[in-house]
Amino acid sequence: MSASLYAADSAPPSAAEGTVDHLLGVATRLRPVLRAAQAEHETLGGYSEVIHKQLLDAGFYRMLQPKRYGGLELPLEDFLRVAVEISRGDPGVGWSFVLGAGHAWHIASFFSEQAQEELFAQDVIAPGRTIPRGRAVRTARGYRLSGTWDYCSGSMWSTHAMLVAPTFTEREEPLGLRAYLVPRCDYEILDDWGGDHVLGMRASSSNSVRVEDALVPEHLSVVYDFKDHTLGEHGTVGYRLHGNPMYLGRTLAFFNCELVATQIGAAWAAFDAFDELMTARPTSFPPMMPRTESPEFHRWYGKMLAQIDAGETLLLGAMRQYTELGRRWERTRQEFTPEEDARLRGVILQGAQLANQAVDLAFSTAGSSSARRGSPMEKYYRDVAMFRTHIAAKWDVTYGSVSRYHFGRPLTF
């Protein structure tokens, strides 16, 4: 319930820079600014340079970067709490931020010391697309990469892109899938997001990126086994470098947490709009009375609070369990398995469903004026509808994945 502790026009107490309390304070103070700029950001397809600079200067992009390279190395749960708060100001901006900044964790978990030294000399904002696209060819100088990858959320202010491609030798022999880190100068961001391109999440800068025959050096490429790698005795490159089980890189539960954090934020945003209407508008059905005197509105208000509080509790609680599974491996070397990761995804997505139900309830009971184009409630409803088209919102796929892991028949997702 961390995001619910502060009213929309207040901020938590000031705290030392580089702490989660400080970042939450900045994000909370940005909430009215983000809400005032929602229409502008939807047109832009991302968030403005003014907002980007504030996030950059306050250290938001360094939350998951290792301390060894000047990052904050904050716990994953803290990253999610901040993502919820940014999303409460604008779910699309939250989506753009979390998926741009979040891949610093993948870099710290899986890429070599040479790559990390090079990349973390700056704040890394790296949208990623792990659905394989394009192709790469191994040469004596590195990998020649070409292709177009869609839905690269967080691309507007990106410094790199993390892209997965099938890879071949110069003799066309398959080498499997590899992940490539491509600098901003080597890809084009296509104008296919924001405005009227999509129904919702228009500020998420989920543009396609195009790469044309870029040379990616060996140290900026790794075998793509992020979903089902074995930790074994020594763990990942990231664990060996940083000694932090956060960097064991079990990726799917964390990815789902990133997305669901935006849904918790969207639910709080819709609740805030509903809360304002409680005192500003009468009931829209007889007998007409202030909404604060209506038993129906009190029930809806309380149900929304219960749904959002429960959804946020599931999200953060699942991340605490995730963190403990990493610590368990560190203590005992007992594997943190893909099946355990899948079970946590089930918990996380229960939280998403509760948050989505809260938005549905707020939208359907707020009154017809809230469905008009340009109203805050209409935007939050569209943003949540866009999430529901994502594969992560296909609840039955996740549930089936848990069972298939248990019976030894895992799918790739």
Side-chain angles (χ1 to χ4, degrees):
M1 292 184 282
S2 58
S4 66
L5 296 178
Y6 309 111
D9 59 352
S10 66
S14 59
E17 291 188 11
T19 65
V20 67
D21 288 339
H22 172 72
L23 295 174
L24 282 170
V26 174
T28 303
R29 289 188 291 274
L30 280 175
R31 192 191 306 165
V33 179
L34 290 174
R35 288 180 178 173
Q38 284 177 355
E40 174 194 354
H41 289 163
E42 288 209 330
T43 301
L44 282 173
Y47 49 90
S48 68
E49 186 173 7
V50 171
I51 297 297
H52 167 62
K53 190 172 188 307
Q54 290 186 68
L55 298 179
L56 185 70
D57 291 346
F60 282 78
Y61 299 118
R62 292 186 289 114
M63 290 183 70
L64 300 182
Q65 293 183 201
K67 290 180 180 178
R68 175 174 179 159
Y69 302 116
L72 301 179
E73 201 171 316
L74 293 175
L76 296 176
E77 181 184 341
D78 288 348
F79 182 69
L80 297 178
R81 291 171 63 201
V82 170
V84 167
E85 183 53 50
I86 294 174
S87 300
R88 191 170 183 170
D90 187 327
V93 172
W95 189 289
S96 182
F97 163 74
V98 75
L99 291 176
H103 288 109
W105 174 77
H106 298 74
I107 295 168
S109 295
F110 294 109
F111 282 81
S112 69
E113 182 176 7
Q114 180 184 358
Q116 294 192 38
E117 287 180 351
E118 177 181 319
L119 293 165
F120 291 140
Q122 61 182 320
D123 286 18
V124 174
I125 307 167
R129 187 65 165 141
T130 58
I131 302 297
R133 296 284 188 269
R135 63 182 275 122
V137 177
R138 186 177 67 189
T139 71
R141 298 176 56 218
Y143 297 88
R144 308 297 316 194
L145 179 67
S146 295
T148 300
W149 287 260
D150 53 0
Y151 300 111
C152 291
S153 301
S155 59
M156 176 172 281
W157 300 108
S158 57
T159 61
H160 296 77
M162 189 180 74
L163 308 171
V164 172
T167 305
F168 303 86
T169 69
E170 291 180 296
R171 296 180 179 181
E172 294 297 312
E173 299 163 322
L175 296 173
L177 298 178
R178 296 186 69 87
Y180 297 90
L181 285 168
V182 183
R184 179 65 189 86
C185 59
D186 284 340
Y187 59 88
E188 175 188 3
I189 300 174
L190 304 185
D191 183 17
D192 58 2
W193 201 260
D196 293 327
H197 284 296
V198 287
L199 173 68
M201 288 293 176
R202 293 174 176 174
S204 67
S205 62
S206 299
N207 303 66
S208 301
V209 303
R210 179 183 295 149
V211 178
E212 294 185 2
D213 197 33
L215 179 63
V216 182
E218 183 72 36
H219 69 284
L220 295 183
S221 173
V222 295
V223 172
Y224 179 63
D225 62 353
F226 296 2
K227 296 177 182 178
D228 54 8
H229 62 289
T230 300
L231 298 177
E233 183 66 22
H234 303 292
T236 57
V237 171
Y239 178 77
R240 296 192 294 274
L241 275 175
H242 309 299
N244 187 341
M246 179 174 88
Y247 296 122
L248 292 174
R250 188 63 74 207
T251 59
L252 280 181
F254 175 65
F255 173 62
N256 279 260
C257 278
E258 291 179 293
L259 303 186
V260 174
T262 72
Q263 299 307 291
I264 303 296
W268 281 123
F271 174 81
D272 290 340
F274 190 91
D275 184 57
E276 290 181 11
L277 293 171
M278 284 287 289
T279 55
R281 298 290 298 274
T283 61
S284 54
F285 48 82
M288 303 290 283
M289 65 180 73
R291 294 187 181 190
T292 53
E293 297 178 13
S294 165
E296 290 82 8
F297 273 92
H298 282 298
R299 282 195 292 270
W300 295 332
Y301 189 96
K303 185 174 182 179
M304 270 179 255
L305 270 178
Q307 288 171 324
I308 304 169
D309 283 341
E312 187 169 15
T313 297
L314 287 170
L315 171 70
L316 299 180
M319 181 47 65
R320 291 185 198 112
Q321 291 182 51
Y322 177 99
T323 300
E324 178 52 36
L325 287 169
R327 291 171 178 161
R328 183 192 69 185
W329 174 87
E330 184 177 44
R331 293 191 308 268
T332 68
R333 292 306 189 261
Q334 180 180 344
E335 193 73 20
F336 175 3
T337 67
E339 181 180 346
E340 290 171 320
D341 185 77
R343 288 186 64 179
L344 287 175
R345 278 187 280 140
V347 174
I348 296 156
L349 295 182
Q350 290 298 306
Q353 290 178 71
L354 286 167
N356 289 175
Q357 289 166 19
V359 175
D360 284 347
L361 181 58
F363 182 79
S364 63
T365 59
S368 297
S369 60
S370 293
R372 291 177 179 172
R373 178 171 294 199
S375 79
M377 194 74 79
E378 179 261 353
K379 174 196 157 44
Y380 304 140
Y381 189 78
R382 285 190 291 103
D383 284 347
V384 167
M386 194 69 187
F387 166 74
R388 287 173 174 166
T389 70
H390 197 283
I391 190 171
K394 304 299 176 283
W395 328 119
D396 288 345
V397 174
T398 295
Y399 304 149
S401 180
V402 173
S403 178
R404 293 178 70 89
Y405 269 119
H406 184 74
F407 289 105
R409 296 174 174 84
L411 296 171
T412 55
F413 179 75

